[in-house]
Amino acid sequence: LGIAVSCGYMGYLETRINTPFDGKKVVLKSGLDIPERFWGSYRPGVYFGLKTRDPASLVTGLMWYFPNRLKPGGHGIRHWCEQGDNLAKYGWVRHDGKNFGEQEIIDRPFSLNTSFIKRLGGSNGGEWSARISVDYINKNVANEAKDELVSLIWYVALDEETKGYIEASYSQTKIIGIKGYTSTLGDFKLKFVNSSGVLDHESFLSTTAPGLHLLKETVISSLRLAAPQKIVLAGELPSFTGHDEKLDPNFVAVQLTGRVPFTMDVIFESGSFSYRPDTLVGDTYTKILQKNRVQFDQTFEKKFQLKTKGIPSSSKEYAFAQAALSNMIGGIGYFYGASKVQSTYIKEPVYYWRAPLYTAVPSRSFFPRGFLWDEGFHGLLISQWDLDIALDIMSHWFDLLNVEGWIPREQILGVEALAKVPSEFTIQWNTYANPPTFFLTLESILRRYGDKLNEDQWATLERMYPRLQAWFSWFNTTQRGEVPGSYRWRGRDPDTTRELNPKTLTSGLDDYPRASHPTDEERHVDLYCWMAMAAHALATLSDALGQDGRKYRQTADYLMDNKLLDRLHWSDFSRRYADYGLHTDSVRLERPQPLPRQQNQNMEMQRVVFKKPEYRLVDGMTFGYVNLFPFLLQIVHPTSPKLETILKDMSQPSILSKFGLRSLSKTSPLYMKRNTEHDPPYWRGQIWINMNFLAVRALKHYSEAEGPYRKLAEGLYKELRKAVISNVFNQYRHTGYVWEQYNDSTGEGSGCRPFTGWSALVVLLMSEDY
Ligand code: 6A9
């Protein structure tokens, strides 16, 4: 009977992982219903491209190359943001998430400026124009250069799901443009104008691409040499099915090749406009772009008041802050697809339901897709810029909640996103968490806007509420520890022999050292603090919505009670908060000695354990972000002597560098140690801006809260805030980018770039408004 029952139960669980949460969707309106956010630069993974917030959107974008510099195999054609392109810089300098955006790109020795503006009206989501201006980076280069050509390719492509057609329109002598129809856009056309500079030649391509992820390959295979030095697109290049039937084109591109300096305007016009005062091209374009810039500058100053507060030391620093914000906003994408998910009850992964996701991304080059805990941090900045955008993003994420109360951590939706991830990394497990940072966003929204929220915004929070409850309770049950009141991240591998310390990807802090031997008995202090913060935020929201939040208040009180925290996580030995688990510090990676006559001489390094692990707090010499969590999330009481200990520890040069707080102090046994021979240190010393943001925010809090350590906190606050701002800014000046993390001894950017996810929170550090 037992077996029969559990089989039935398993069948039931199997269908649960990809069953949506049962309740009203949070997103009520999207697509054409929100015309001002219909078109946008929602393809953060390309240097420049526009699409709509429609699941099967028309997709348009830019590729460029310099014909005299093009290498065999099409090397030198720019399309997707690739670190390998080695561009000296690219990124939005202004972007408001609604009306326009403007980007600067340095592709030595050239500079490109790309921008777009929009016009609302008609019945199919309005119109837009885009401009691409190419010049030399400076006069010297321009004087040396001889007749450099640039080829700008603008394309239009249909997603597999898009119903409609596209075609090139041309006469014998001239390309007129592209026209087409989709069920959402109705009739539309695109025109191309060289609004300044000398056009050398133009060409087009109309063909059937095998998929949206292969557009550049399709272009490369269609390039032709029309005459010496004259590279053109092939024109009509029909594809056929196996049965010789001609396929409709799904990819149409127009190439204008001109002498640098050269400017191309792309004009998208909707057939649904019965009247337009003028065409968004040439001077009209310039004027409207300028109006948008002025508007942006005013709004930026109004929101963050950097000038009023006298904060930026130079106009360069001010422009940097604007760029950081703009890249967060300009990095917002619109994705559609289904994740591959796996439950422990089933052998094979299954697909989640197909769904849209409107979200910012951590990095346009390396991971142009949504990440759960990153997005909560993004929300802190986005909600200050545009609350509706921030709420809409959260609404989309919470519509991805399944009936279990789980949201997948990494969102790899659609063919373009999938093409960036090796398939073994695409599966999301429904037992795995990621910090519930959306509660940070929520708390910040309620604190900042409180009774200024409008009716629609309250209604959104109301629809979100049952999902927030389910999400919270998913954490509270599935991530519970063995000892009451404790929590444990799932997903650590107890059997690995290669890792110096088995990773905890779910915590977001990947290789940050935890108990050396994962077991069910361990407990994680960072997760404990996330849960306390989450319960508190949910209780606050319950009150604000007039809901009964007593049980969240009770949980919050229970967890915030420092006696429980101390009992579970305080080490009298090291005088620090710490994880608990089966642990020894005596581990090392060693290359196994091959046995005599053994063929394989080069065996992979293995972990060797020198001392038997014991159940204890992971306190030894390890000190870093995890130990600071009760402070970072403001759980430790302002009058607690432990706060004093933490503040003093934190100001030691072994953890506080000139550039910010190290993830791991220099005195920690695993400081800057590789986790396997292929896995370089990641959260083992490097400076991360999300955690530094939390630290600065907490210092501000403790410098203002009643208690004996205010002065101590205030001093550190000033020091840390300044250190982080100036380093991120200096690195931006020197390298052209905001980075994923920063080197703790030189301050240099490391990891990937551009990374204008949570590293852009530096704007809030500048405005001192957390
Ligand atoms: C996987 C496989 C060649 C790692 O910013 C996103 C996340 C953070 O949430 C997390 O805290 N980043 C941090 O530790 C980047 C994750 C990138 C995953 C890439 C692709 C390898 O492809």
Side-chain angles (χ1 to χ4, degrees), residues 431-452:
T431 42
Y432 293 1
N434 204 203
T437 50
F438 277 127
F439 284 109
L440 279 180
T441 318
L442 260 185
E443 188 276 337
S444 154
I445 290 173
L446 292 174
R447 184 162 38 88
R448 175 171 312 274
Y449 293 97
D451 32 285
K452 278 182 260 139

PDB file of all heavy atoms in Angstrom, residues 431-452:
ATOM      1  N   THR A 431      13.995  22.561  -6.146  1.00  0.00           N
ATOM      2  CA  THR A 431      14.335  22.558  -4.715  1.00  0.00           C
ATOM      3  C   THR A 431      15.313  23.685  -4.399  1.00  0.00           C
ATOM      4  O   THR A 431      15.649  23.902  -3.250  1.00  0.00           O
ATOM      5  CB  THR A 431      15.006  21.221  -4.342  1.00  0.00           C
ATOM      6  OG1 THR A 431      15.926  20.867  -5.386  1.00  0.00           O
ATOM      7  CG2 THR A 431      13.979  20.121  -4.179  1.00  0.00           C
ATOM      8  N   TYR A 432      15.749  24.374  -5.461  1.00  0.00           N
ATOM      9  CA  TYR A 432      16.800  25.384  -5.283  1.00  0.00           C
ATOM     10  C   TYR A 432      16.225  26.790  -5.141  1.00  0.00           C
ATOM     11  O   TYR A 432      15.399  27.218  -5.927  1.00  0.00           O
ATOM     12  CB  TYR A 432      17.768  25.377  -6.471  1.00  0.00           C
ATOM     13  CG  TYR A 432      18.603  24.126  -6.581  1.00  0.00           C
ATOM     14  CD1 TYR A 432      18.456  23.071  -5.671  1.00  0.00           C
ATOM     15  CD2 TYR A 432      19.540  23.988  -7.593  1.00  0.00           C
ATOM     16  CE1 TYR A 432      19.226  21.923  -5.781  1.00  0.00           C
ATOM     17  CE2 TYR A 432      20.319  22.846  -7.709  1.00  0.00           C
ATOM     18  CZ  TYR A 432      20.147  21.811  -6.812  1.00  0.00           C
ATOM     19  OH  TYR A 432      20.909  20.685  -6.928  1.00  0.00           O
ATOM     20  N   ALA A 433      16.765  27.474  -4.167  1.00  0.00           N
ATOM     21  CA  ALA A 433      16.340  28.844  -3.914  1.00  0.00           C
ATOM     22  C   ALA A 433      17.364  29.833  -4.467  1.00  0.00           C
ATOM     23  O   ALA A 433      18.304  29.450  -5.157  1.00  0.00           O
ATOM     24  CB  ALA A 433      16.173  29.052  -2.408  1.00  0.00           C
ATOM     25  N   ASN A 434      17.163  31.060  -4.143  1.00  0.00           N
ATOM     26  CA  ASN A 434      18.045  32.173  -4.451  1.00  0.00           C
ATOM     27  C   ASN A 434      17.523  33.270  -3.526  1.00  0.00           C
ATOM     28  O   ASN A 434      16.320  33.294  -3.265  1.00  0.00           O
ATOM     29  CB  ASN A 434      17.873  32.547  -5.935  1.00  0.00           C
ATOM     30  CG  ASN A 434      19.064  33.262  -6.571  1.00  0.00           C
ATOM     31  OD1 ASN A 434      18.911  33.968  -7.565  1.00  0.00           O
ATOM     32  ND2 ASN A 434      20.243  33.089  -6.053  1.00  0.00           N
ATOM     33  N   PRO A 435      18.381  34.133  -2.992  1.00  0.00           N
ATOM     34  CA  PRO A 435      17.884  35.064  -1.965  1.00  0.00           C
ATOM     35  C   PRO A 435      16.621  35.835  -2.387  1.00  0.00           C
ATOM     36  O   PRO A 435      16.542  36.315  -3.516  1.00  0.00           O
ATOM     37  CB  PRO A 435      19.068  36.010  -1.770  1.00  0.00           C
ATOM     38  CG  PRO A 435      20.259  35.175  -2.099  1.00  0.00           C
ATOM     39  CD  PRO A 435      19.823  34.284  -3.225  1.00  0.00           C
ATOM     40  N   PRO A 436      15.670  35.938  -1.478  1.00  0.00           N
ATOM     41  CA  PRO A 436      14.382  36.588  -1.798  1.00  0.00           C
ATOM     42  C   PRO A 436      14.489  38.108  -1.780  1.00  0.00           C
ATOM     43  O   PRO A 436      13.797  38.788  -1.026  1.00  0.00           O
ATOM     44  CB  PRO A 436      13.456  36.079  -0.692  1.00  0.00           C
ATOM     45  CG  PRO A 436      14.361  35.829   0.476  1.00  0.00           C
ATOM     46  CD  PRO A 436      15.696  35.423  -0.093  1.00  0.00           C
ATOM     47  N   THR A 437      15.353  38.638  -2.646  1.00  0.00           N
ATOM     48  CA  THR A 437      15.632  40.080  -2.620  1.00  0.00           C
ATOM     49  C   THR A 437      14.456  40.944  -3.062  1.00  0.00           C
ATOM     50  O   THR A 437      14.485  42.146  -2.830  1.00  0.00           O
ATOM     51  CB  THR A 437      16.814  40.409  -3.543  1.00  0.00           C
ATOM     52  OG1 THR A 437      16.558  39.788  -4.806  1.00  0.00           O
ATOM     53  CG2 THR A 437      18.120  39.883  -2.987  1.00  0.00           C
ATOM     54  N   PHE A 438      13.444  40.323  -3.702  1.00  0.00           N
ATOM     55  CA  PHE A 438      12.289  41.158  -4.075  1.00  0.00           C
ATOM     56  C   PHE A 438      11.637  41.764  -2.830  1.00  0.00           C
ATOM     57  O   PHE A 438      10.972  42.789  -2.918  1.00  0.00           O
ATOM     58  CB  PHE A 438      11.267  40.351  -4.876  1.00  0.00           C
ATOM     59  CG  PHE A 438      11.603  40.255  -6.335  1.00  0.00           C
ATOM     60  CD1 PHE A 438      11.679  39.029  -6.971  1.00  0.00           C
ATOM     61  CD2 PHE A 438      11.848  41.407  -7.081  1.00  0.00           C
ATOM     62  CE1 PHE A 438      11.993  38.945  -8.324  1.00  0.00           C
ATOM     63  CE2 PHE A 438      12.159  41.333  -8.433  1.00  0.00           C
ATOM     64  CZ  PHE A 438      12.238  40.092  -9.055  1.00  0.00           C
ATOM     65  N   PHE A 439      11.854  41.143  -1.687  1.00  0.00           N
ATOM     66  CA  PHE A 439      11.327  41.746  -0.460  1.00  0.00           C
ATOM     67  C   PHE A 439      12.088  43.019  -0.092  1.00  0.00           C
ATOM     68  O   PHE A 439      11.536  43.909   0.546  1.00  0.00           O
ATOM     69  CB  PHE A 439      11.351  40.728   0.694  1.00  0.00           C
ATOM     70  CG  PHE A 439      10.260  39.700   0.587  1.00  0.00           C
ATOM     71  CD1 PHE A 439      10.557  38.382   0.253  1.00  0.00           C
ATOM     72  CD2 PHE A 439       8.928  40.045   0.781  1.00  0.00           C
ATOM     73  CE1 PHE A 439       9.551  37.434   0.135  1.00  0.00           C
ATOM     74  CE2 PHE A 439       7.914  39.105   0.655  1.00  0.00           C
ATOM     75  CZ  PHE A 439       8.220  37.796   0.334  1.00  0.00           C
ATOM     76  N   LEU A 440      13.354  43.096  -0.509  1.00  0.00           N
ATOM     77  CA  LEU A 440      14.098  44.351  -0.313  1.00  0.00           C
ATOM     78  C   LEU A 440      13.465  45.449  -1.161  1.00  0.00           C
ATOM     79  O   LEU A 440      13.284  46.584  -0.703  1.00  0.00           O
ATOM     80  CB  LEU A 440      15.550  44.206  -0.772  1.00  0.00           C
ATOM     81  CG  LEU A 440      16.611  43.550   0.097  1.00  0.00           C
ATOM     82  CD1 LEU A 440      17.943  43.573  -0.657  1.00  0.00           C
ATOM     83  CD2 LEU A 440      16.752  44.282   1.419  1.00  0.00           C
ATOM     84  N   THR A 441      13.162  45.096  -2.416  1.00  0.00           N
ATOM     85  CA  THR A 441      12.548  46.071  -3.328  1.00  0.00           C
ATOM     86  C   THR A 441      11.221  46.551  -2.753  1.00  0.00           C
ATOM     87  O   THR A 441      10.945  47.755  -2.704  1.00  0.00           O
ATOM     88  CB  THR A 441      12.278  45.430  -4.712  1.00  0.00           C
ATOM     89  OG1 THR A 441      13.396  44.636  -5.086  1.00  0.00           O
ATOM     90  CG2 THR A 441      12.002  46.473  -5.747  1.00  0.00           C
ATOM     91  N   LEU A 442      10.419  45.578  -2.322  1.00  0.00           N
ATOM     92  CA  LEU A 442       9.093  45.904  -1.792  1.00  0.00           C
ATOM     93  C   LEU A 442       9.195  46.828  -0.595  1.00  0.00           C
ATOM     94  O   LEU A 442       8.467  47.825  -0.493  1.00  0.00           O
ATOM     95  CB  LEU A 442       8.432  44.628  -1.286  1.00  0.00           C
ATOM     96  CG  LEU A 442       7.417  43.951  -2.151  1.00  0.00           C
ATOM     97  CD1 LEU A 442       6.821  42.793  -1.380  1.00  0.00           C
ATOM     98  CD2 LEU A 442       6.319  44.949  -2.554  1.00  0.00           C
ATOM     99  N   GLU A 443      10.090  46.468   0.308  1.00  0.00           N
ATOM    100  CA  GLU A 443      10.259  47.264   1.518  1.00  0.00           C
ATOM    101  C   GLU A 443      10.644  48.686   1.144  1.00  0.00           C
ATOM    102  O   GLU A 443      10.123  49.653   1.691  1.00  0.00           O
ATOM    103  CB  GLU A 443      11.317  46.597   2.410  1.00  0.00           C
ATOM    104  CG  GLU A 443      11.487  47.189   3.795  1.00  0.00           C
ATOM    105  CD  GLU A 443      12.409  48.384   3.830  1.00  0.00           C
ATOM    106  OE1 GLU A 443      13.266  48.531   2.915  1.00  0.00           O
ATOM    107  OE2 GLU A 443      12.266  49.208   4.747  1.00  0.00           O
ATOM    108  N   SER A 444      11.551  48.790   0.171  1.00  0.00           N
ATOM    109  CA  SER A 444      12.005  50.112  -0.249  1.00  0.00           C
ATOM    110  C   SER A 444      10.864  50.908  -0.902  1.00  0.00           C
ATOM    111  O   SER A 444      10.708  52.107  -0.655  1.00  0.00           O
ATOM    112  CB  SER A 444      13.191  49.945  -1.197  1.00  0.00           C
ATOM    113  OG  SER A 444      13.299  51.033  -2.061  1.00  0.00           O
ATOM    114  N   ILE A 445      10.048  50.229  -1.698  1.00  0.00           N
ATOM    115  CA  ILE A 445       8.920  50.906  -2.353  1.00  0.00           C
ATOM    116  C   ILE A 445       7.933  51.426  -1.305  1.00  0.00           C
ATOM    117  O   ILE A 445       7.495  52.581  -1.344  1.00  0.00           O
ATOM    118  CB  ILE A 445       8.215  49.959  -3.356  1.00  0.00           C
ATOM    119  CG1 ILE A 445       9.111  49.716  -4.565  1.00  0.00           C
ATOM    120  CG2 ILE A 445       6.859  50.518  -3.790  1.00  0.00           C
ATOM    121  CD1 ILE A 445       8.584  48.677  -5.541  1.00  0.00           C
ATOM    122  N   LEU A 446       7.613  50.578  -0.326  1.00  0.00           N
ATOM    123  CA  LEU A 446       6.639  50.985   0.693  1.00  0.00           C
ATOM    124  C   LEU A 446       7.177  52.142   1.527  1.00  0.00           C
ATOM    125  O   LEU A 446       6.463  53.078   1.869  1.00  0.00           O
ATOM    126  CB  LEU A 446       6.281  49.802   1.595  1.00  0.00           C
ATOM    127  CG  LEU A 446       5.492  48.684   0.906  1.00  0.00           C
ATOM    128  CD1 LEU A 446       5.324  47.490   1.842  1.00  0.00           C
ATOM    129  CD2 LEU A 446       4.135  49.196   0.422  1.00  0.00           C
ATOM    130  N   ARG A 447       8.445  52.073   1.865  1.00  0.00           N
ATOM    131  CA  ARG A 447       9.058  53.122   2.698  1.00  0.00           C
ATOM    132  C   ARG A 447       9.099  54.437   1.924  1.00  0.00           C
ATOM    133  O   ARG A 447       8.798  55.504   2.459  1.00  0.00           O
ATOM    134  CB  ARG A 447      10.469  52.675   3.091  1.00  0.00           C
ATOM    135  CG  ARG A 447      11.206  53.587   4.031  1.00  0.00           C
ATOM    136  CD  ARG A 447      12.383  52.852   4.704  1.00  0.00           C
ATOM    137  NE  ARG A 447      13.086  51.928   3.831  1.00  0.00           N
ATOM    138  CZ  ARG A 447      14.108  52.284   3.039  1.00  0.00           C
ATOM    139  NH1 ARG A 447      14.540  53.525   3.013  1.00  0.00           N
ATOM    140  NH2 ARG A 447      14.704  51.388   2.265  1.00  0.00           N
ATOM    141  N   ARG A 448       9.440  54.350   0.648  1.00  0.00           N
ATOM    142  CA  ARG A 448       9.619  55.559  -0.143  1.00  0.00           C
ATOM    143  C   ARG A 448       8.303  56.167  -0.594  1.00  0.00           C
ATOM    144  O   ARG A 448       8.106  57.377  -0.537  1.00  0.00           O
ATOM    145  CB  ARG A 448      10.454  55.209  -1.381  1.00  0.00           C
ATOM    146  CG  ARG A 448      10.654  56.302  -2.392  1.00  0.00           C
ATOM    147  CD  ARG A 448      11.669  55.852  -3.406  1.00  0.00           C
ATOM    148  NE  ARG A 448      12.827  55.310  -2.689  1.00  0.00           N
ATOM    149  CZ  ARG A 448      13.823  56.053  -2.242  1.00  0.00           C
ATOM    150  NH1 ARG A 448      13.819  57.357  -2.448  1.00  0.00           N
ATOM    151  NH2 ARG A 448      14.823  55.507  -1.583  1.00  0.00           N
ATOM    152  N   TYR A 449       7.403  55.314  -1.079  1.00  0.00           N
ATOM    153  CA  TYR A 449       6.189  55.860  -1.694  1.00  0.00           C
ATOM    154  C   TYR A 449       4.989  55.821  -0.752  1.00  0.00           C
ATOM    155  O   TYR A 449       4.109  56.658  -0.852  1.00  0.00           O
ATOM    156  CB  TYR A 449       5.860  55.121  -2.990  1.00  0.00           C
ATOM    157  CG  TYR A 449       6.867  55.334  -4.094  1.00  0.00           C
ATOM    158  CD1 TYR A 449       7.876  54.425  -4.327  1.00  0.00           C
ATOM    159  CD2 TYR A 449       6.801  56.478  -4.889  1.00  0.00           C
ATOM    160  CE1 TYR A 449       8.808  54.626  -5.350  1.00  0.00           C
ATOM    161  CE2 TYR A 449       7.719  56.689  -5.912  1.00  0.00           C
ATOM    162  CZ  TYR A 449       8.729  55.751  -6.134  1.00  0.00           C
ATOM    163  OH  TYR A 449       9.639  55.958  -7.140  1.00  0.00           O
ATOM    164  N   GLY A 450       4.963  54.807   0.117  1.00  0.00           N
ATOM    165  CA  GLY A 450       3.886  54.683   1.092  1.00  0.00           C
ATOM    166  C   GLY A 450       2.544  55.132   0.569  1.00  0.00           C
ATOM    167  O   GLY A 450       2.029  54.587  -0.410  1.00  0.00           O
ATOM    168  N   ASP A 451       1.979  56.152   1.175  1.00  0.00           N
ATOM    169  CA  ASP A 451       0.626  56.550   0.780  1.00  0.00           C
ATOM    170  C   ASP A 451       0.593  57.351  -0.525  1.00  0.00           C
ATOM    171  O   ASP A 451      -0.474  57.783  -0.958  1.00  0.00           O
ATOM    172  CB  ASP A 451      -0.067  57.315   1.914  1.00  0.00           C
ATOM    173  CG  ASP A 451       0.903  58.112   2.741  1.00  0.00           C
ATOM    174  OD1 ASP A 451       1.617  57.475   3.542  1.00  0.00           O
ATOM    175  OD2 ASP A 451       0.988  59.346   2.561  1.00  0.00           O
ATOM    176  N   LYS A 452       1.751  57.520  -1.158  1.00  0.00           N
ATOM    177  CA  LYS A 452       1.741  58.190  -2.468  1.00  0.00           C
ATOM    178  C   LYS A 452       1.478  57.213  -3.619  1.00  0.00           C
ATOM    179  O   LYS A 452       1.376  57.632  -4.774  1.00  0.00           O
ATOM    180  CB  LYS A 452       3.065  58.933  -2.702  1.00  0.00           C
ATOM    181  CG  LYS A 452       3.100  60.290  -2.021  1.00  0.00           C
ATOM    182  CD  LYS A 452       4.390  61.030  -2.313  1.00  0.00           C
ATOM    183  CE  LYS A 452       5.368  60.915  -1.176  1.00  0.00           C
ATOM    184  NZ  LYS A 452       6.731  60.719  -1.337  1.00  0.00           N
TER     185      LYS A 452
END
